[in-house]
Amino acid sequence: MIKKQYNTINDFLEDVSFKNWALQNNGTDINFWEFWIANNPEKNELVNKAKDLVLGVSFNKDLVSKEKVAFEWKKLEAKIQEKNKNKNKSTKSKSYIFKEI
């Protein structure tokens, strides 16, 4: 490990070993960061914020199937069409009322 100053959140986020620690991916990195954190308690808030960002940025890399996307898209289109129908009915009934008067 290269000795580096960690003074900003970006310093942590740019460090692969820090990300490994946050994600609990590498035993060596986990041990290093547990030791580093214990010996740098003044950086605890910064470490926690950086860890939250690493965990928050992580996402499930599984792709949604084309069938699921198509199904959800059709549901959305149906809702939009239904709203448009209701909107048109409302507009027609209002214009009819005005014509009668």
Side-chain angles (χ1 to χ4, degrees):
M1 298 257 161
I2 298 171
K3 290 195 178 196
K4 178 179 174 182
Q5 295 293 317
Y6 293 92
N7 296 315
T8 68
I9 287 178
N10 282 341
D11 293 337
F12 292 98
L13 297 178
E14 292 170 355
D15 190 309
V16 174
S17 71
F18 179 81
K19 291 178 191 174
N20 286 337
W21 167 77
L23 297 168
Q24 299 290 290
N25 281 342
N26 180 302
T28 303
D29 293 334
I30 293 167
N31 290 335
F32 170 81
W33 282 101
E34 294 298 329
F35 179 81
W36 190 92
I37 291 165
N39 288 289
N40 294 279
E42 71 282 1
K43 305 279 182 156
N44 209 23
E45 185 177 345
L46 202 55
V47 166
N48 288 330
K49 285 180 182 180
K51 180 182 177 185
D52 288 345
L53 285 172
V54 169
L55 296 177
V57 172
S58 299
F59 57 92
N60 186 348
K61 295 178 184 174
D62 293 336
L63 297 176
V64 177
S65 71
K66 290 180 182 179
E67 294 81 15
K68 177 71 173 166
V69 171
F71 175 75
E72 293 299 331
W73 186 257
K74 285 182 181 183
K75 279 179 27 182
L76 177 62
E77 285 178 327
K79 285 182 181 181
I80 292 169
Q81 288 175 354
E82 187 63 33
K83 271 195 167 184
N84 286 340
K85 281 182 187 177
N86 291 337
K87 194 178 199 181
N88 289 338
K89 285 180 184 178
S90 175
T91 305
K92 286 180 183 177
S93 64
K94 288 180 184 175
S95 63
Y96 177 73
I97 292 170
F98 289 120
K99 288 180 183 176
E100 292 294 317
I101 296 176

